[in-house]
Amino acid sequence: MTMLTGGTSGTTNIRRLIKRRFPLLAWLPSYNFQTFSQDFLAGITVALTEIPQGIAYAIVAGLPSQYGLYAGFMGCFMYFMLGSCKDINIGPTAIMALMIQPYVSSMGIAGGILITFLSGCLIFLCGLLHLGFIVEFFSYPVIAGFTTAAAFNIASSQIKSLLGIPGKSDTFLTAWISVFENIKKTRLADTLMGFFVIVFLVIAKEIRRYGSLKQRPEWTRKRYIIGVIIFMFSLASNAIAVMCCSVVAYIFKQYGQMPFKLTGEVRGGLPSFTLPPFSTNFNGTEFRFEDMMTEYGTVVIFCPLIAVLEHIAIAKAFSKGKSLDATQEMIALGVCNIMGSFVQSMPVTGSFTRTAVNNASGAKTPACSIITGIMVLVALGFLTSTFQYIPKSTLAGVIMVAMYYLCDFQAFILLWKSKKLDLIPLTATLVCCLFINLEYGILIGLAVNIVFVLYSSARPKIEIEEISPLYYLVKFKSGLHYTSAEYLREYILSMCTSPNSTVIIDGEYIGNIDATVAKSLNGLKDELQIRNQNIIFWNFKKTVINTCLGVNSDLGLNVKEESLEQIIAS
């Protein structure tokens, strides 16, 4: 009977594990037509944003336009199978495009595809090892500085396309230098169209608050319908802008004129399913696998790390209080990138913009992802001939508006009001990401942030109250670490100077100490004895006392468990 119970329990655990790793098995049995209709609407709406963004982000990465669509459909299909968050949309993002752009420039298309595979493998491995806690080391100031710098960088790279200026640039500085050097080559038609798109998208974004898919009690039916139309119009604004501008360009082409720079031919059809390239030849230079790894450098670590950071942050934002299985999300993201590399995808992660559209459109399950993926496939199969008429300035406008809303300007105000010192790591990250590169910028930002953390732990808040000329009460308002060992000893010695007095150390807020702090407390006792002063360890936890006794068993004589009044009275 026991064996049978054990076998049943084991089978149940396996089923739970399978459902956890394949979340669609949990919601698919209860799936119905009403849920499908809402997912279908959300999937179509997101696709209208993903298709122009996929083309635009591929251009940012330096890849042919269709590669952004390859990334979009495979990310959607795999997340449908493995994703646990109903709103998340997986696909190409501006930050991922910016991170791989230098390596596409140096190694060609293969440089973008291989980093997708490597990132996927690393993310998947981190998911299996439950290493999601790594993202907790990125503080809000560092993340805000990084995303704002990335947005500035990407927007700056699009200024030339917006103005119709020729040339190419890889960094924030070179982009603006190139703009000022070629400002006289500005094309009026491209500039007007680009700024028209920007104004249109900003207005569409701002009027969204006047529409809603939920009727309010005070609304008439007519007002509700108008609100829904405005809302849907706003959600599809990217696609509407791109389609309208493409129609304008097509009309000019029919009359033998072309005042706009166009995206050019986009290869249609599905990509071939093949292994990611582990070597390549680009511009006459042969790159073996080890050469490609050397070329990548630190991006092999930071590309997957930023992908996870972006994805988990978005998943948490839209989980709405529900528990988030970070391990499953990392596994899903890893598989999306691994499988994507087999269809020539660029790196993918969660997109905040498209996830917000998904949520606003009323997505109910991850099934909306497969609807979006199918729409992208339809675009690849039947609409690529029309993509060649998309003006570059239109895509530049789409990207620049998206980057404006990606900038975390509110972070500066928030930190100024709450803790001004946090502006230092934010500014350090922002400046270094802009003027060096993203990987080193975030490393420097982390280092600056860690310095502040270490300084804080090295200078704990200590309150010393002189109860009487013969007694001092020392209180620590935070834990003690080895970095503060020497400071606390010197501070207490300098503040508690009355001869023949007793120093009472209150250990209420000391949760744990290391051997360095224990040795410092032992040294403090010896130095106070030389000055004819006594020390008492009061209100200490047993684990802390045991650490002190491990350094010097005689410290047990200084431990008191009586009340403070009894200690003073004795």
Side-chain angles (χ1 to χ4, degrees):
M1 184 69 179
T2 304
M3 290 179 64
L4 182 62
T5 304
T8 304
S9 176
T11 304
T12 302
N13 290 337
I14 291 172
R15 286 176 179 171
R16 286 176 181 170
L17 180 63
I18 291 174
K19 281 189 176 182
R20 181 178 293 180
R21 296 296 166 249
F22 293 91
L24 82 164
L25 297 177
W27 55 261
L28 198 57
S30 59
Y31 202 66
N32 55 45
F33 181 77
Q34 183 180 356
T35 305
F36 170 75
S37 62
Q38 291 177 285
D39 284 339
F40 183 80
L41 174 63
I44 295 291
T45 307
V46 172
L48 294 177
T49 301
E50 177 142 352
I51 292 168
Q53 282 193 347
I55 295 170
Y57 294 150
I59 292 172
V60 171
L63 294 166
S65 304
Q66 65 269 18
Y67 284 81
L69 300 181
Y70 297 162
F73 91 81
M74 183 53 76
C76 288
F77 272 94
M78 297 314 300
Y79 194 76
F80 160 74
M81 297 177 61
L82 299 170
S84 62
C85 182
K86 68 180 181 67
D87 296 313
I88 287 283
N89 173 265
I90 297 282
T93 66
I95 293 178
M96 290 292 99
L98 181 62
M99 292 199 75
I100 69 168
Q101 192 271 335
Y103 310 100
V104 174
S105 296
S106 60
M107 294 183 285
I109 294 172
I113 299 172
L114 181 59
I115 194 63
T116 305
F117 176 76
L118 296 174
S119 296
C121 290
L122 194 56
I123 295 169
F124 183 75
L125 181 62
C126 288
L128 292 180
L129 297 176
H130 298 267
L131 297 180
F133 69 90
I134 293 173
V135 300
E136 295 173 10
F137 287 93
F138 290 81
S139 67
Y140 173 64
V142 172
I143 294 172
F146 172 79
T147 54
T148 303
F152 279 159
N153 218 325
I154 295 165
S156 299
S157 71
Q158 296 304 304
I159 291 292
K160 293 193 301 299
S161 295
L162 187 75
L163 302 178
I165 294 173
K168 188 178 181 182
S169 57
D170 299 332
T171 65
F172 175 77
L173 275 179
T174 57
W176 282 104
I177 290 171
S178 178
V179 167
F180 286 116
E181 286 178 345
N182 297 281
I183 195 67
K184 292 182 180 179
K185 299 178 182 178
T186 298
R187 295 164 60 100
L188 180 61
D190 284 306
T191 303
L192 290 175
M193 179 167 281
F195 279 98
F196 166 78
V197 169
I198 290 174
V199 172
F200 170 78
L201 292 178
V202 169
I203 292 173
K205 183 97 173 172
E206 293 303 316
I207 66 172
R208 185 182 301 179
R209 58 188 172 184
Y210 295 107
S212 176
L213 293 178
K214 294 181 180 179
Q215 185 163 10
R216 300 171 190 172
E218 70 274 13
W219 281 12
T220 62
R221 181 175 179 81
K222 182 179 179 181
R223 185 179 175 187
Y224 169 66
I225 293 172
I226 293 173
V228 171
I229 293 172
I230 292 173
F231 185 77
M232 298 305 297
F233 172 82
S234 176
L235 290 179
S237 56
N238 280 344
I240 293 171
V242 170
M243 286 189 291
C244 290
C245 293
S246 299
V247 168
V248 171
Y250 177 77
I251 292 172
F252 272 103
K253 184 74 176 288
Q254 297 309 302
Y255 285 95
Q257 299 179 27
M258 187 43 64
F260 314 108
K261 285 189 173 183
L262 301 182
T263 302
E265 185 177 352
V266 178
R267 186 164 65 88
L270 301 182
S272 56
F273 192 85
T274 183
L275 285 171
F278 293 99
S279 62
T280 188
N281 188 303
F282 184 66
N283 289 339
T285 303
E286 188 72 31
F287 290 94
R288 296 172 298 172
F289 178 71
E290 52 268 34
D291 299 324
M292 296 179 80
M293 292 298 292
T294 302
E295 188 75 19
Y296 286 136
T298 57
V299 80
V300 172
I301 302 296
F302 280 101
C303 188
L305 192 59
I306 297 305
V308 170
L309 184 66
E310 194 172 358
H311 183 85
I312 297 298
I314 293 169
K316 284 182 178 179
F318 287 90
S319 60
K320 297 188 183 300
K322 296 180 182 178
S323 60
L324 176 69
D325 190 346
T327 295
Q328 180 59 30
E329 286 302 307
M330 290 178 72
I331 289 173
L333 182 60
V335 172
C336 286
N337 278 281
I338 292 171
M339 296 305 296
S341 68
F342 284 83
V343 294
Q344 304 167 56
S345 164
M346 59 190 287
V348 297
T349 186
S351 162
F352 188 87
T353 302
R354 298 192 298 271
T355 299
V357 171
N358 231 352
N359 177 265
S361 302
K364 294 297 181 182
T365 71
C368 56
S369 291
I370 201 166
I371 303 299
T372 302
I374 291 171
M375 287 294 294
V376 175
L377 280 179
V378 170
L380 272 169
F382 301 102
L383 301 178
T384 49
S385 59
T386 63
F387 293 160
Q388 62 181 303
Y389 295 105
I390 301 175
K392 287 185 176 181
S393 59
T394 299
L395 293 178
V398 170
I399 294 171
M400 293 186 76
V401 171
M403 292 308 98
Y404 172 77
Y405 288 101
L406 183 65
C407 290
D408 196 352
F409 299 118
Q410 190 64 28
F412 291 90
I413 300 172
L414 188 148
L415 296 179
W416 180 264
K417 291 180 178 178
S418 57
K419 191 176 181 182
K420 295 179 178 62
L421 208 58
D422 280 342
L423 287 170
I424 297 176
L426 186 150
T427 306
T429 306
L430 174 64
V431 172
C432 293
C433 283
L434 283 177
F435 296 104
I436 304 177
N437 62 36
L438 292 179
E439 301 98 90
Y440 286 116
I442 201 166
L443 267 179
I444 293 169
L446 282 172
V448 171
N449 212 69
I450 289 171
V451 167
F452 279 98
V453 172
L454 291 175
Y455 182 82
S456 178
S457 67
R459 294 293 182 271
K461 190 174 181 181
I462 303 174
E463 289 184 1
I464 299 180
E465 179 184 354
E466 189 174 355
I467 300 175
S468 73
L470 295 178
Y471 286 96
Y472 292 97
L473 179 62
V474 180
K475 292 183 178 181
F476 298 99
K477 293 301 182 181
S478 60
L480 298 178
H481 307 281
Y482 73 93
T483 50
S484 62
E486 191 64 22
Y487 170 76
L488 72 90
R489 186 182 63 82
E490 291 182 357
Y491 187 78
I492 292 173
L493 287 172
S494 65
M495 299 300 292
C496 305
T497 56
S498 297
N500 301 315
S501 61
T502 298
V503 177
I504 304 172
I505 297 183
D506 184 356
E508 180 182 1
Y509 296 107
I510 303 175
N512 198 8
I513 63 172
D514 53 34
T516 307
V517 174
K519 284 195 68 174
S520 181
L521 292 174
N522 183 57
L524 176 62
K525 178 186 82 80
D526 293 340
E527 293 192 48
L528 287 173
Q529 284 179 344
I530 294 173
R531 293 181 356 182
N532 294 320
Q533 291 176 279
N534 189 27
I535 187 170
I536 291 176
F537 300 115
W538 174 65
N539 217 9
F540 272 61
K541 293 177 176 61
K542 193 168 183 179
T543 53
V544 177
I545 293 171
N546 289 337
T547 304
C548 292
L549 295 179
V551 172
N552 183 358
S553 58
D554 291 341
L555 287 175
L557 301 173
N558 300 85
V559 177
K560 301 293 182 182
E561 297 182 357
E562 298 93 340
S563 67
L564 186 60
E565 292 78 10
Q566 290 173 326
I567 293 173
I568 295 173
S570 63

